[in-house]
Amino acid sequence: ASRSFLRRRTRRPTDSHPFLARSMDHEADRGSGFDASAKGIFGGRRRRACPSDQRNASAARLNHAAKSERLLMELMAAQAKFEAARRPAPSKTFVDASTGLRLRVCEWKSAGDVEEANAVFLHGSCDQGSVWNDVCLRLCAKEAVQACYGPDMRGHGGSARSSSGRCDARVLAEDLRSLVVEKDLYRAPLMLVGEGEGACVAVRLAALCPQLVGSVVCINYAADVNVRPKHVMQGKHWSDRKYATLDVWSNDPKLEPEPVLQLVDLRVVEDIERGGCRTKMDPNWCFESKREERIHDFAAISCPLLLIRGEMSNMCTDEELESTQRMATKAPLCKIRVIKEHGEHLSVSCPGKLSRILTRWLQVTEDFYHVSDPESRRPELLNIRPLPEYGSVAEAMAALRPRAIPTPKMIADELAKLRADDEQSSDAESDVGYVTGLAKEPADYYGFVG
């Protein structure tokens, strides 16, 4: 009993020094001089250090520094190749969501007049919409879609931050619904593609508004996946960009140097106040998701569902994907695809393979994006833009009937009313900065309206 108690209390905190812990585990497995005692010192085992432990610790530090230098050399060698292969950036627009926040949206459009479906791509935490750039450029070049849209979730990229930072799938799905309304994407069902937290939002919107969604693609996500409330890089600060690059690589050491550099461009920004660099996302951002709600959303999906997993991904297992496939009882089609020799961040590590899978999926599910009656795709009929409500028929007729063109007399009467109101309020209040009824807008407002 005492041994099991000690084992529980002395378990190594893997998130304290992830890069160092991984590197030493890897070197220990290869048998390069790192034994369990050295791993225990850096992992935080509570036992008395002996001279051999100190020698092993010194060797671990030297080896870690040498390995960091080797990784930096690889990154420097890949930097020129990465800059030369940099693809065109997407066009960016802004949308005012009904929740009161302004969202930045990346857009990609096909060159020709394509009558295909539109696709919306949702990123995971600590990323932004442009992480899908390579995938969307390939889809538009093949004319597999009419257009692709990649919004930045609130608290990420160029989108606004919420006051509390806390959000869940329902709130983010409402942001996505506002994007669909503002961009007029309701005219035909959409293909929703999401990775991580973005997949959770896509499934929630498909459950809440099934009339808007033609199919859902989830990447490295399943109903039994415990969605992390915060990202491991959230709120971090580095003195130099190279240390940020090593930290990004340490979180996913299976990535090649080029995808790592691309993730650094997306996640890291210069810190003007403190110097150095920091993560772009909101440090207070927190995502909340309950397992019961995720199971309910998958059970409510009534459109085709595709579950994609990287073979080396730690986010979900094949058994969890199969369990999620059994939950989607209402989905007319549910498939599982595993991409070999890849793990997380499939949008940057293997955009070619992912775009080919999505192109094939669009061909298989093309009937679900077809609209027989375009008049039925109005937002009021789809219940995404509710009609105004009135207390009586007379009130509705007064509000909806055509308004008469104002005559000079009507304008003079309204101005006289406003002057009278201003005189009465000026007697009651003596504020220096009082704004009258005739000046509801700033002074420069009248300069550009004439």
Side-chain angles (χ1 to χ4, degrees):
S2 62
R3 289 175 183 173
S4 62
F5 174 76
L6 289 175
R7 278 199 295 270
R8 287 196 298 269
R9 290 294 301 272
T10 59
R11 187 174 58 185
R12 184 174 55 142
T14 55
D15 57 345
S16 58
H17 298 285
F19 179 81
L20 189 57
R22 282 198 192 97
S23 63
M24 286 190 300
D25 286 347
H26 183 61
E27 294 294 335
D29 295 338
R30 293 176 57 186
S32 59
F34 287 89
D35 57 4
S37 60
K39 292 169 64 178
I41 288 176
F42 280 89
R45 289 190 179 181
R46 298 178 182 177
R47 65 183 185 82
R48 183 177 299 175
C50 60
S52 62
D53 290 337
Q54 295 177 358
R55 289 193 298 271
N56 290 331
S58 300
R61 294 190 188 96
L62 292 175
N63 198 351
H64 172 58
K67 186 170 184 179
S68 299
E69 290 296 328
R70 290 198 302 270
L71 293 177
L72 285 175
M73 294 297 293
E74 292 182 22
L75 290 171
M76 291 176 61
Q79 184 70 36
K81 182 179 178 181
F82 171 70
E83 294 293 339
R86 190 184 293 272
R87 297 183 179 273
S91 60
K92 298 178 176 65
T93 58
F94 288 88
V95 170
D96 292 325
S98 59
T99 52
L101 294 179
R102 172 161 289 189
L103 307 176
R104 189 179 70 174
V105 184
C106 300
E107 299 183 9
W108 301 265
K109 296 183 183 292
S110 298
D113 188 9
V114 182
E115 295 183 359
E116 300 292 342
N118 291 314
V120 178
F121 291 80
L122 305 173
H123 63 83
S125 63
C126 203
D127 289 328
Q128 52 184 331
S130 55
V131 74
W132 303 99
N133 189 41
D134 291 347
V135 177
C136 294
L137 286 176
R138 285 174 167 83
L139 291 176
C140 292
K142 296 176 184 177
E143 296 186 350
V145 294
Q146 183 176 357
C148 296
Y149 299 87
D152 296 346
M153 285 195 296
R154 57 170 65 191
H156 294 73
S159 295
R161 301 178 178 183
S162 57
S163 57
S164 63
R166 308 183 70 88
C167 57
D168 54 12
R170 181 188 59 82
V171 175
L172 297 178
E174 180 62 26
D175 292 342
L176 181 57
R177 189 193 65 82
S178 300
L179 167 66
V180 172
V181 174
E182 293 297 326
K183 292 291 184 181
D184 295 337
L185 302 180
Y186 49 80
R187 301 183 185 278
L190 301 167
M191 179 181 72
L192 297 182
V193 183
E195 183 172 10
E197 291 79 3
C200 184
V201 177
V203 173
R204 175 59 60 89
L205 183 67
L208 295 177
C209 304
Q211 67 277 15
L212 297 179
V213 184
S215 69
V216 177
V217 180
C218 297
I219 301 175
N220 290 330
Y221 176 75
D224 292 326
V225 171
N226 188 15
V227 180
R228 55 194 175 192
K230 288 182 176 290
H231 196 271
V232 292
M233 292 187 59
Q234 191 168 341
K236 283 194 174 183
H237 180 273
W238 303 272
S239 59
D240 195 337
R241 193 176 181 86
K242 66 180 181 180
Y243 298 117
T245 305
L246 286 177
D247 203 357
V248 171
W249 206 351
S250 69
N251 290 317
D252 198 347
K254 303 168 187 175
L255 286 177
E256 295 295 327
E258 290 82 2
V260 171
L261 294 172
Q262 187 172 352
L263 288 177
V264 171
D265 278 355
L266 295 172
R267 296 180 174 183
V268 179
V269 65
E270 293 183 5
D271 194 339
I272 301 176
E273 297 180 357
R274 295 187 293 172
C277 53
R278 58 173 178 81
T279 51
K280 289 183 180 179
M281 70 176 298
D282 182 5
N284 299 322
W285 191 81
C286 181
F287 185 78
E288 299 175 351
S289 177
K290 297 181 180 178
R291 182 177 181 273
E292 296 78 11
E293 295 177 351
R294 297 195 297 269
I295 293 176
H296 177 269
D297 292 341
F298 274 107
I301 288 182
S302 59
C303 62
L305 176 64
L306 176 62
L307 304 174
I308 301 177
R309 175 182 176 269
E311 183 185 22
M312 298 185 293
S313 173
N314 297 324
M315 300 294 293
C316 58
T317 62
D318 294 335
E319 291 76 13
E320 290 172 341
L321 290 185
E322 293 173 359
S323 175
T324 302
Q325 187 180 31
R326 291 190 294 269
M327 293 177 189
T329 55
K330 293 184 179 180
L333 180 66
C334 185
K335 297 292 184 180
I336 297 177
R337 289 294 304 271
V338 178
I339 300 181
K340 303 293 184 180
E341 300 179 356
H342 289 279
E344 286 86 19
H345 312 299
L346 300 181
S347 57
V348 296
S349 62
C350 57
K353 293 182 180 180
L354 185 57
S355 62
R356 287 192 293 271
I357 293 175
L358 294 179
T359 301
R360 177 58 182 163
W361 178 250
L362 285 167
Q363 295 172 355
V364 172
T365 60
E366 60 180 350
D367 293 338
F368 293 90
Y369 312 108
H370 178 68
V371 177
S372 58
D373 185 12
E375 291 297 324
S376 63
R377 302 295 302 184
R378 289 184 294 176
E380 293 82 8
L381 298 179
L382 295 174
N383 198 25
I384 58 176
R385 184 187 291 165
L387 292 170
E389 298 181 358
Y390 302 98
S392 63
V393 176
E395 183 182 350
M397 292 181 64
L400 299 177
R401 67 184 178 186
R403 299 178 61 184
I405 299 176
T407 61
K409 184 177 182 305
M410 295 171 59
I411 296 175
D413 294 341
E414 290 295 329
L415 290 175
K417 270 187 203 177
L418 290 174
R419 290 192 185 95
D421 294 340
D422 291 339
E423 291 175 359
Q424 293 176 2
S425 58
S426 61
D427 294 338
E429 300 179 7
S430 59
D431 295 339
V432 178
Y434 178 73
V435 180
T436 65
L438 295 176
K440 296 179 181 178
E441 305 293 344
D444 57 350
Y445 174 80
Y446 299 97
F448 59 83
V449 299

